Amino acid sequence: MPRSIRHEYPGAVYHAMCRGNNGQSIFKEDKGRRLFLATLEEVCEQTGWMVHAYVLMSNHYHLLLETPEANLVTGMKWFQGAYTQRFNAMFQCRGHLFQGRYKALPIEAGQDSSYFQAVGNYIHLNPFRAGMAGSGLDRPLEHYTWSSYPAYVSRVKRVPAWLNRVRLLNACGLDGEASGGWMQYRDFLEFQMSGSQEPFDEMVAKQLKRGWYVGGESFRGWLSKKLPDHSDNLRGDQRRAHDEAEAERLLDRALVVLGVSESALVGMKSNRPEKQAVAWLLKKSTTVTGVWIADRLKMGSRANLSRALSALNNEIDSERKELKQKMTQCAG
């Protein structure tokens, strides 16, 4: 499976996470967690990163990370490598600590974006969702030590210089500079834990688990257009990313070639030649699933996609033959 592209650009914000190899703990003990945070502090000093939220679970971590410079890949390589070496030395272990590559999803984090808020709160509520701390449980959420949340609600003696609390509080509609902001934030998360979750948060959770970005359609389009500028991450044509990001990029190119808008294409019936041609392009040129294509193009059942692919492959008429040629050029 080709690797997904790392989107790097100045001021990027990411949800970064990684799990332990074979589900193993990546901390073992509290001294391992302290080692992780000390290594995180070092990489922030080296790279200029800012962390807006974090949580350390038993076999994985979550970071809401901002990179003022376009240095995600370099920083993460050093961070996870250094921590692995130090962990192995501390606990007399050998071999891989993390399970494959880390996951880093770009987040739409503009001034008017609500996605930044949603991801920060999602991170802070991880112990609650795991049944470890929070409303209705024996342990209040602020007593879960290995999270940035205690720092947000003034339960720590010293707030790390690399932890920025202001932006998330402001994104929640609170005054990040005011002394009472932390009390309002605690009330804010208590409300979230009460079961009054907004549908927006459910959508963000789905993007975090299965998507390649967190944001709206305009942000997705903006990221897709940046893909050609990141060919240095691909190491040649054989390493091109045939994932959802590539599918979105090809979709944008096809819309230009066809001279139709995305809403117009999606609104077409599944047997329209233009819609069939785009479906054929995505299936031919990427590794996204047929279910993903049918859902993305609003084609209804998987059978409609199969008919579309057959119509283009067999070039059942001159119109589809011409469209097939145009789509082939899109993929070139």
Side-chain angles (χ1 to χ4, degrees), residues 220-221 224-228 240 245-260 262 265 278 281-282 285 326-332:
R220 187 270 305 164
S224 297
K225 289 180 174 63
K226 291 179 71 67
L227 290 180
R240 291 182 63 197
E246 175 69 2
E248 294 286 1
R249 186 180 73 89
L250 288 174
L251 173 59
D252 285 342
R253 293 180 67 175
L255 292 173
V256 173
V257 170
L258 295 174
V260 299
E262 181 177 328
L265 181 74
V278 175
L281 170 66
L282 300 185
S285 305
K326 289 182 178 180
M327 294 301 100
T328 300
Q329 293 172 0
C330 286

Side-chain angles (χ1 to χ4, degrees), residues 11-13 50 52 64-67 107-111 113 116-117 152 164-174 176-177:
V13 176
M50 289 183 285
H52 297 279
L64 178 55
L65 176 68
E66 181 178 353
T67 60
I107 299 169
E108 182 178 345
Q111 186 173 1
S113 172
F116 183 91
Q117 174 212 127
Y152 269 79
N164 185 323
R165 299 176 296 174
V166 174
R167 184 170 179 177
L168 179 55
L169 291 176
N170 289 346
C172 293
L174 310 175
E177 303 288 353

Side-chain angles (χ1 to χ4, degrees), residues 109-172:
Q111 186 173 1
D112 298 325
S113 172
S114 299
Y115 296 95
F116 183 91
Q117 174 212 127
V119 175
N121 297 336
Y122 175 89
I123 290 173
H124 283 155
L125 290 171
N126 252 257
F128 171 69
R129 288 194 299 275
M132 302 171 70
S135 180
L137 302 171
D138 294 336
R139 188 182 182 192
L141 188 62
E142 58 263 34
H143 288 180
Y144 187 83
T145 306
W146 306 108
S147 161
S148 52
Y149 181 66
Y152 269 79
V153 296
S154 299
R155 298 283 300 187
V156 298
K157 294 181 180 179
R158 182 183 70 89
V159 177
W162 45 265
L163 179 64
N164 185 323
R165 299 176 296 174
V166 174
R167 184 170 179 177
L168 179 55
L169 291 176
N170 289 346
C172 293

Side-chain angles (χ1 to χ4, degrees), residues 8 43 46-47 49 70-81 102:
E8 291 188 288
V43 74
Q46 293 173 9
T47 61
W49 288 357
N71 56 7
L72 171 74
V73 174
T74 300
M76 287 297 288
K77 181 180 180 180
W78 182 90
F79 171 54
Q80 292 208 155
Y102 61 89

Side-chain angles (χ1 to χ4, degrees), residues 276-325:
Q276 291 181 336
V278 175
W280 176 84
L281 170 66
L282 300 185
K283 187 63 177 175
K284 170 184 176 293
S285 305
T286 74
T287 57
V288 294
T289 66
V291 173
W292 188 93
I293 296 172
D295 180 68
R296 183 69 181 84
L297 300 182
K298 298 294 185 290
M299 299 189 71
S301 69
R302 181 70 185 277
N304 291 334
L305 175 61
S306 297
R307 283 191 284 270
L309 299 178
S310 177
L312 267 290
N313 284 328
N314 296 327
E315 300 178 356
I316 62 174
D317 55 38
S318 59
E319 182 179 10
R320 286 174 174 81
K321 182 177 181 179
E322 182 179 350
L323 285 169
K324 184 178 177 181
Q325 292 173 348

